[in-house]
Structure formats: structure tokens, C-alpha cells
Amino acid sequence: MNARMFAARVALPVLAVVAVSAQASAADFDWKKFQGKTVTFLANNNPVSQALLSYKADFEKLTGITLKVDGYQEQQMRQRLVTVMNARSDEVDVFMTLPSREGEQFAVSGWYADLSAMSKNEAATDYDLAGLSQALLKAGTFSGKLTSMPMNIEGPILYYRTDILKKCGVEKPATIKDVEAAAQKIKACDSTITPFVSRGLKPAVAYTFSNMLHNIGGSYMANGKSNLCSPKGKETLDTYSRLLRDYGPPGVVNYSFQQISALYRSGRAAMSFESSNELRTVMDGGERLKDTGLAPFPAGEAGQVPTAIGWGMAVSAYSKQPSAAWYFVQWATSPEIQKRMALQGIAPPRPAVANDPEYRKWIDAEPVRKEWQAALDVLATKGSSEVGYPIVANPQSREFIGQAVQDLILKQKTVDQACADADKELDALIAQK
Amino acid sequence: MSDAAATLTQDRQRLELSALSAPAVIFTVAMIAFPVVYTIWLGFQSFSSTGQQSFAGLANYAKLASDYEFWHGLWVTIALYVLSLFLQLVFGVWLALVLFHAKRLPGIVRSMFISPFMMPPVVAGMMWLVILDPSLGAANYILQSLGLPPSEWLASPTWVIPTVALIDSWQWTPYVALIVLGGLQSLPPSVYEAAQIDGASPFKTFQRITLPLLLPTIVTAAILRSVDLLRFFDIIYITTQGGPGNASNTLNIYGFRVGFEFFNIGYASALMLTLTAIVFGAVLAFNRLRGAVAW
């Protein structure tokens, strides 16, 4: 039998059988197994959940499961979650979580169900667990337990106004030092524009500050102690606060993503460090569509170490129907749904979705989307999920980072005083069990 | 009917009434007592960052003494309380006098005067957050249009307490005015007729008659506002979250963060019970004052 005959008589039928089996296997997956059940989803009312929940009816039709959505703003969602979990209540089956922030804390508290087995044994064939960002899966794994499935990928990037930079004779900033030089030129060139804006609100600072710290070459901890008073730590504190104090908007100490996006979208800011997730908000109305450029977070002395995080979906350890809850999680993080969410501007945590022709067509439709995807590619390949201290009390550690930055913006302390005060509190926090 | 039979009937009626009202009494006591007792119990517990719980005795209360954030929060709470209460009582009495004397004021204008306190505090907070935004808000636009320098309002450690006090006073002054207006309407007209015959000026009439007679009503308004102001939360949470830095970090905001963001429910309970004791103290003090000024 020659090669052509082998292909025609043996190989092709075998391949066809394998393909049909795979299809049948995907189709055979019993999505109706939990028909009639009700799954409660505690959601953070952000663009990620909004995009997901626009397909809620499809999930209910596919599975016969009723999805009850309990939606709040981020802080209120955590408040509700803490109450429910401390009471060991089964009121919530699935909840949204940020592994980079509360992952370790929730995992040690035993609030997450372990998804390791379900993601392998109870998943539809086309779920493609291996297709999810391995970095984000790793970020959601604590003590060997997979605690959440990634919903998106995001990180701080540079938004800049191409028209203003051109008018003021400024090149696109490639480094943190370039950002400061550009801000200085813009301030001199157009006094009506805020040259630069980033997060200044105390609990929100860590998100953008961490990226700058890592790019400059600093680290939060060394030898089990807080390291903000190291030369690189002090340089970052000084640079970050100086940028906001000298070139930021008045009242920047109250700025989080909402204020930054509003200022930038209104055309009153020239450059901004903000989440890649804010693209949809910033482009809302279309005024910034043609005059905005996007780039990865500018490099420091240590190059580019971008912050890459993602919202995850977790099943509550106290849910009485973890398998039904898992059905919702796997549907929500499946390639099909993540592709649909991507077309709404939610960056997919699946490289395959990012390469999907329909998605590529959407990306190619606008130059700013191409730059956005290029910045996301850098996040996906080089990203670190360390935002704040890598300790159980991570949320509290962010307060002290924010406090040190605010003390410097408001000129209430010197860099040495601010970092020493923060280190003292952070060392106490690190020492806590 | 003999005395014995009558007593028996009375006892039976009392028993029946007790039995009938028991469910309501038990429910009410349980609804009030359970959260209080549970919070007291939590105040004696220690919670680690991971939610591990252990008995801590009085450690949470001992920690209060050396906790800078607690003393700072207490100072912020009291500063905000004193400033807001002063503004609300002064402008509340003034507004009540305007509404009392301007009898021909159209109903819609009267409704507009008193409408702010009907607005949910979260909505009021969001509205003022937008108005006071140093870059995009209307407040600085107006100041600059008048040739005045802009302010950082809620973003300034110096101005944040007066600004929050102004927002709260904008919302709650009409409420104080309504209470005082009720008091004004119940004042005896004969006293004013006598003052008029004696030739007292309007200012003297206000100083010597209206204000002293209104004092019990004003103290009542002060008690009602004190309870709210000492546990002031919503507007601060919406507008500043205790910032900038910790410049507006009241005990209530601090307790919320300790409990729900840092998961130390035991220490948060101790903080909140201390705040409750302060609220009770203020109410008792005002009650005594009300007794002293009653007529």
C-alpha cells in the first residue's frame, strides 16, 4: 500500500472517526444535568461581569439552570462576601475574585472550593483548560488548589494623546523618565491640559505603583522584611508622587480609575497610567478614538515587568451544589463566551481567542485597538501578578503603600520619613500569621 | 361577683394579655438584644487575617488606647460632629424663621427648601463629588468665574472636614428647620402680643422670647442629629473613603475598614461598641440639657 492509498483507506477514516468522536463528545456533554437548579452568582458590577451577563439568557437556555445574580460595586461585593463566608452560608454559589489581592487570604480562610478536579473531569471537551493563560491559572492556585478560573487579563498601560504630544513636540514616552520629561514639556506648552494622571486614592495606588516599582527594579520584600526604604523603593516613591504632585490634576489623592477615565475622556489629560480594562470607558462616546495612543507601561531601569492580573470566578466552599456552580463557571470561562466578551472589549485570558479571525477583524478595525492588543500581548507574556505585598494581609498592605504615596503628594513627609513609617507598619503586617 | 372571683377574672385577663403580646415582645427584644449581645461577644474575640478566631479577653479594648488611628478617628468624628451640628442648628433655626414668617411663600418653594433631606445620602454624596471635583466640577468653575482661586475641596487635608460638614449640613439643615418650625407654630401668641405692647424690637423679641421658648425644641433636634452625626458614614464613604490620607477617617469609617476590608471583626466590634457608648453619652448629656431648658 503506497502512501496515498494509506491516507485514503486508513489514515483519513481514522482521523474522521477521531474528529467525529471529539465533536460527539462535546455535543454529548450533558449541559442539562442540573436543569431546574438555581445558582447564585455574587458579581462585581464592572465591565467584565456586565459583558458576561449580557449572555445570561443563553446560559439558562443551554443548561436549564436559573442564574440568580447578586451584583454590587467592588467594595460592597467584598463586604457581602465577608458576611456570607464568615457565617459559612450557602447563599452564594459562585463569586468574582481578584487572586492578586485577596487570593491568599481567601484560600487560607478556606473560602474557595478546589476546582482542580472539576476542571479536568467535569468539563466539556471544548472547554480547553490548557488554552487558558497559564500565568493567570498559576496566580489563582494556592497550596496546589486551583481556586478560580480567569475571566479576563488586564494591567496598567499608558494612554496618551497623540495630538497633544505632536503639538508640544514630544515623542511617545518609552521610559518612565520620558514620561516625566514629556509632562514637563506639555505643562509648559499648554497650561489648560493636565500633563499626567494616575491613581492617587490610597487603596487604589498599589495597582499602578507596583508596575513602576518592578520596572525600576525594586521589590516589596527582602529577607522577610518590607523593602520600601531600599534605594529603588525610595526612587519609586519619589518618582510616582512627584509625577502626580507636579503634573497631576488638583485633588489627585482622590483619583481612582473612575476619575482618571472621566478626566482623560473629557480631553483634559495628556497622559495616563490606567488599566487596559478602561479602554471601553475611555472610548465611550468616540471622542478619544482617533487621538489616543496606547503603549505598555513605560520601562524603568529594570526594563518592562508589567503587572498582569485578571478577575476570576470561584465556587464557594460552602456551596451545597458545587457541581452546578462549576457548570456556570465553565460556561462563563469557555472559549465561546470569552470570544463573545472579547468583542465587547474584555481582553481574553485565552491566547487562542486573541488569535480568532473574528476578534482580529474587530481589533484591526481601529488603530487604537491594535495598540491595545499589542500592550495586552506584552502583559500576557511578561506579566507579574504582584500588586502590593505577597502576604495574606495583601489588602491591608496596599493601604500603607497608598499612605506613603499620599504623604509625599501632599508634602506631609519626606521620602525617608514616608518609607520608614510605611515599613514599620508593613513589617508588623508581615509578622502577622 | 365576689372579690375573689373578680381577682381571678383580672388575673386571667392579665395572663391572656401577656400571652397575646408575648410573641411581639420576644421578637422585638430578640431583634434588639441579639445583635448587641453578639457584637459584645465579638469584641472579646481575636480574628487573624485568615479569619481564625480565638478568645482575646479585653485585648481589643486595651489596643484602643495605643492605636493612633482610633484617637485620630475620634478627633475627626468629634470635629465633624461639632462643626456640622453648629451649622445645622444655626441655619436650621434661620430657615425655620424664614418659612414661619414668609406665609405667602408658594408651596413649591417651601418644598424645594426642605427637599434635600429626602434625597438618599448616597445620591447626595455622588452629586457633591461631581460638583466639587477640582478639575471638572461646577464649584471651582463658579469660583474662577468670580475671580476667586479654586479649591481642592474634598482632596485637601485642611478643607475636607469643613467640606463634608457643608455637604451634610446642606442635606440635613431642612430637617432641623422642620422640627424648629413645628416648635415655632406651637409658641403661645399671647407672649408676642405682650412684647409688641411693650414695644420690643424684632431682635429683642427673638433674643428674649423666641429663642428661650424654642430651646427645648432645638435640643430635641440636636439629639436627633447627634445620633446621626456621630455615626456618620455614607457621605464620607462615597466622597473620600476617609481620605485624603486619613484626614476624614471617622471612627465609623475606620471600624468598617478594620472589619470588612482587613477582616478583624473582633477589633472592629470593640471600635463600634466604643462609638455606641459615645453616642449614648451624647444623648444622655443632651437629655439632661433638655430637662434644664424645659418650660
Side-chain angles (χ1 to χ4, degrees):
Chain A
M1 191 184 295
N2 63 24
R4 189 173 290 177
M5 279 176 69
F6 175 83
R9 294 184 184 175
V10 181
L12 284 179
V14 168
L15 283 173
V17 168
V18 169
V20 168
S21 308
Q23 255 187 343
S25 172
D28 286 350
F29 184 76
D30 184 11
W31 280 105
K32 297 278 186 194
K33 189 175 173 186
F34 298 103
Q35 188 164 18
K37 297 250 182 202
T38 298
V39 167
T40 304
F41 174 40
L42 182 63
N44 168 19
N45 192 15
N46 68 0
V48 181
S49 72
Q50 285 163 4
L52 172 68
L53 292 171
S54 61
Y55 309 114
K56 176 176 176 275
D58 294 351
F59 170 72
E60 292 181 324
K61 192 177 167 195
L62 175 72
T63 60
I65 293 172
T66 302
L67 184 67
K68 187 179 156 196
V69 180
D70 206 4
Y72 300 89
Q73 293 303 315
E74 188 173 336
Q75 279 164 329
Q76 284 71 30
M77 179 198 74
R78 285 204 185 91
Q79 180 188 343
R80 167 119 174 89
L81 188 68
V82 170
T83 311
V84 168
M85 291 303 188
N86 273 322
R88 296 167 188 258
S89 165
D90 62 349
E91 272 178 62
V92 169
D93 296 301
V94 179
F95 58 91
M96 284 173 71
T97 184
L98 262 184
S100 58
R101 183 185 185 277
E102 64 248 4
E104 196 156 350
Q105 195 166 26
F106 286 11
V108 180
S109 301
W111 291 359
Y112 293 124
D114 186 1
L115 303 179
S116 313
M118 285 191 281
S119 61
K120 287 182 186 116
N121 308 328
E122 292 179 45
T125 317
D126 54 358
Y127 180 64
D128 189 17
L129 176 65
L132 280 161
S133 158
Q134 294 306 301
L136 291 179
L137 283 175
K138 193 178 158 197
T141 303
F142 299 92
S143 305
K145 289 181 181 173
L146 179 59
T147 60
S148 63
M149 307 308 291
M151 301 174 81
N152 72 319
I153 185 165
E154 63 174 277
I157 57 174
L158 174 70
Y159 291 72
Y160 62 95
R161 288 278 300 277
T162 49
D163 55 336
I164 294 172
L165 264 60
K166 193 176 171 188
K167 184 177 86 177
C168 297
V170 178
E171 291 292 315
K172 178 177 109 178
T175 66
I176 294 166
K177 284 190 174 131
D178 289 347
V179 172
E180 189 162 8
Q184 202 173 10
K185 277 191 178 177
I186 293 164
K187 192 176 181 177
C189 155
D190 186 346
S191 62
T192 64
I193 289 288
T194 299
F196 172 78
V197 61
S198 184
R199 297 184 181 198
L201 187 71
K202 198 162 63 169
V205 161
Y207 182 68
T208 35
F209 178 86
S210 299
N211 206 148
M212 187 181 280
L213 177 73
H214 294 139
N215 282 11
I216 283 177
S219 63
Y220 280 120
M221 286 172 65
N223 303 317
K225 294 275 185 189
S226 178
N227 203 28
L228 273 187
C229 274
S230 63
K232 297 285 185 192
K234 286 202 278 192
E235 185 187 336
T236 313
L237 279 172
D238 193 26
T239 307
Y240 191 92
S241 57
R242 193 174 60 242
L243 274 169
L244 289 182
R245 189 177 56 238
D246 295 349
Y247 307 109
V252 73
V253 286
N254 279 344
Y255 270 56
S256 186
F257 65 93
Q258 299 99 329
Q259 291 77 20
I260 294 170
S261 294
L263 189 77
Y264 187 88
R265 192 178 56 197
S266 71
R268 299 184 64 173
M271 294 182 290
S272 144
F273 288 162
E274 195 35 75
S275 169
S276 54
N277 236 14
E278 285 298 296
L279 180 76
R280 196 163 78 149
T281 313
V282 167
M283 294 302 152
D284 198 20
E287 285 152 335
R288 298 280 75 81
L289 197 60
K290 303 294 179 194
D291 61 19
T292 290
L294 302 176
F297 200 102
E301 291 141 45
Q304 280 182 324
V305 191
T307 297
I309 61 166
W311 279 94
M313 291 187 89
V315 173
S316 163
Y318 304 115
S319 169
K320 285 189 176 157
Q321 42 183 6
S323 293
W326 161 250
Y327 265 46
F328 174 52
V329 173
Q330 71 159 311
W331 171 83
T333 56
S334 65
E336 169 62 20
I337 296 302
Q338 294 201 320
K339 183 180 126 183
R340 287 204 237 166
M341 286 168 66
L343 294 173
Q344 291 197 40
I346 303 302
R350 290 177 177 274
V353 171
N355 294 325
D356 180 86
E358 198 180 344
Y359 178 67
R360 293 306 318 183
K361 194 177 160 195
W362 180 81
I363 287 290
D364 292 341
E366 292 291 346
V368 73
R369 289 184 191 154
K370 279 189 199 171
E371 290 180 343
W372 181 66
Q373 185 57 48
L376 288 170
D377 289 343
V378 175
L379 292 184
T381 49
K382 295 186 184 176
S384 145
S385 65
E386 187 181 84
V387 180
Y389 281 65
I391 55 174
V392 172
N394 174 285
Q396 206 167 350
S397 77
R398 297 181 182 205
E399 291 281 318
F400 297 119
I401 299 165
Q403 183 70 58
V405 169
Q406 286 202 344
D407 285 340
L408 293 171
I409 294 173
L410 298 168
K411 288 189 176 173
Q412 292 182 326
K413 289 178 185 169
T414 63
V415 175
D416 286 334
Q417 284 169 333
C419 76
D421 288 351
D423 272 352
K424 191 179 156 199
E425 300 284 358
L426 286 156
D427 281 338
L429 211 58
I430 292 164
Q432 278 179 15
K433 285 183 182 173
Chain B
M1 191 189 290
S2 69
D3 283 353
T7 308
L8 198 65
T9 311
Q10 276 180 350
D11 284 350
R12 184 176 291 167
Q13 279 180 342
R14 208 171 289 149
L15 199 67
E16 281 172 1
L17 282 172
S18 300
L20 285 171
S21 56
V25 172
I26 290 167
F27 179 76
T28 308
V29 169
M31 289 302 284
I32 295 169
F34 175 74
V36 174
V37 172
Y38 186 58
T39 308
I40 292 170
W41 179 78
L42 284 173
F44 294 120
Q45 304 294 312
S46 171
F47 290 78
S48 71
S49 302
T50 59
Q52 300 299 313
Q53 190 179 340
S54 58
F55 183 70
L58 291 169
N60 287 327
Y61 294 93
K63 189 179 166 187
L64 290 175
S66 59
D67 182 1
Y68 166 78
E69 285 294 336
F70 166 73
W71 291 108
H72 175 77
L74 186 60
W75 185 87
V76 173
T77 305
I78 291 171
L80 204 49
Y81 165 67
V82 171
L83 187 57
S84 304
L85 191 64
F86 173 77
L87 289 172
Q88 288 166 32
L89 292 182
V90 169
F91 287 104
V93 170
W94 173 77
L95 183 60
L97 286 169
V98 168
L99 293 172
F100 183 68
H101 290 293
K103 309 258 186 218
R104 295 171 66 185
L105 210 58
I108 189 157
V109 178
R110 285 171 172 270
S111 302
M112 272 177 62
F113 268 125
I114 60 165
S115 60
F117 85 87
M118 289 187 261
M119 190 180 279
V122 174
V123 177
M126 291 300 292
M127 185 183 82
W128 281 103
L129 191 61
V130 173
I131 292 172
L132 297 174
D133 185 287
S135 298
L136 303 170
N140 273 353
Y141 177 76
I142 293 168
L143 282 183
Q144 286 172 308
S145 303
L146 297 171
L148 296 168
S151 170
E152 292 203 353
W153 304 108
L154 295 160
S156 156
T158 313
W159 286 103
V160 66
I161 291 179
T163 307
V164 172
L166 272 177
I167 297 173
D168 192 66
S169 300
W170 171 83
Q171 179 155 44
W172 291 103
T173 295
Y175 176 72
V176 174
L178 270 190
I179 296 170
V180 176
L181 186 61
L184 274 173
Q185 285 163 344
S186 67
L187 293 184
S190 57
V191 192
Y192 288 95
E193 285 160 13
Q196 206 172 10
I197 291 164
D198 289 345
S201 67
F203 179 73
K204 280 280 176 207
T205 308
F206 173 74
Q207 189 190 15
R208 297 287 172 86
I209 297 173
T210 309
L211 200 56
L213 290 179
L214 267 183
L215 265 183
T217 312
I218 293 172
V219 173
T220 303
I223 292 174
L224 292 171
R225 288 307 302 139
S226 294
V227 174
D228 272 349
L229 279 167
L230 285 168
R231 51 193 183 92
F232 195 10
F233 180 84
D234 28 34
I235 286 178
I236 304 177
Y237 191 71
I238 293 292
T239 53
T240 69
Q241 295 188 19
N246 56 5
S248 61
N249 206 19
T250 59
L251 277 187
N252 225 352
I253 296 280
Y254 181 46
F256 173 82
R257 305 194 84 157
V258 168
F260 289 107
E261 290 182 17
F262 310 148
F263 298 172
N264 193 344
I265 303 286
Y267 188 50
S269 300
L271 279 166
M272 290 301 97
L273 285 168
T274 308
L275 179 62
T276 309
I278 293 168
V279 174
F280 267 109
V283 171
L284 284 177
F286 271 114
N287 259 335
R288 285 200 165 191
L289 182 64
R290 190 167 59 170
V293 297
W295 49 275

